[in-house]
Amino acid sequence: MMGRCAWSIGIAFAFGCATMSLADGEVWSDPKRVVDVRVGIFCPPPVTSKSQSKNTISGDIARYSERPVLGRATNLIPAIDHILFGIEGRERPATGDAVTIEVTHPPLGAQGTRSESWTTYMRAGEASFSGYEIGLSDGKPLGKWTVSGTRNGKKPFSANFEVVKPSKTNFDPCERIPTS
């Protein structure tokens, strides 16, 4: 299965402030435009539909009727097939304008793709998630990743991640959550 961009209804953050470069593991957002920012590994609800997206390796984006749940707050992501990671936050005030999400990563897929993007919208008053589901069939995802948003030529948020080899202490928390 190929890696795919993943998003829930109301996925992106939308704000208007200056861009800034990030150090490894750093998260940046404009506190006047977004609150309740969290990054890490998210447990996805079932996919309810997919949208075509020509700027992604798989050619589609997963849509969820519910927002993914944060399983572990971290910037270190184990390279596990189908693990979902990213950033969520709540826009204030909500504008309804389109946001372009960009994910940069090591070369993946047959073409050695380094960047994928798609356009989305937020729903007013709710936290939104922007992220990526790793597909190990796309190649070796180890290395530095960035998930960021752009609106009207400005980058209002960005988060850096490091995809690393899985270990006993760095695993997919969504696979180990007990159920009743």
Side-chain angles (χ1 to χ4, degrees), residues 87-169:
I87 181 171
E88 79 170 4
R90 187 169 44 87
E91 179 186 27
R92 104 178 167 188
T95 65
D97 292 340
V99 177
T100 299
I101 304 302
E102 182 179 22
V103 178
T104 60
H105 50 67
L108 294 174
Q111 305 301 317
T113 301
R114 292 181 175 269
S115 177
E116 301 178 61
S117 64
W118 63 95
T119 300
T120 192
Y121 297 87
M122 294 186 70
R123 286 176 28 188
E126 294 184 22
S128 298
F129 169 80
S130 299
Y132 197 89
E133 179 183 334
I134 292 177
L136 293 181
S137 64
D138 292 335
K140 297 181 181 178
L142 301 179
K144 299 187 183 317
W145 290 64
T146 301
V147 177
S148 62
T150 303
R151 174 181 271 167
N152 300 325
K154 297 179 181 178
K155 285 196 177 193
F157 75 91
S158 190
N160 288 339
F161 297 90
E162 181 80 20
V163 175
V164 299
K165 291 181 181 180
S167 69
K168 291 180 182 179
T169 59

Side-chain angles (χ1 to χ4, degrees), residues 5-64:
C5 304
W7 64 288
S8 65
I9 295 174
I11 183 166
F13 307 98
F15 345 125
C17 51
T19 56
M20 76 189 286
S21 61
L22 301 175
D24 290 345
E26 190 171 328
V27 178
W28 179 82
S29 66
D30 178 354
K32 293 179 183 176
R33 304 288 184 195
V34 66
V35 294
D36 305 327
V37 174
R38 302 185 311 165
V39 300
I41 299 168
F42 287 78
C43 303
V47 174
T48 55
S49 65
K50 293 184 180 182
S51 295
Q52 290 185 335
S53 180
K54 65 181 179 175
N55 294 325
T56 63
I57 293 172
S58 66
D60 63 32
I61 298 169
R63 293 185 187 234
Y64 307 114

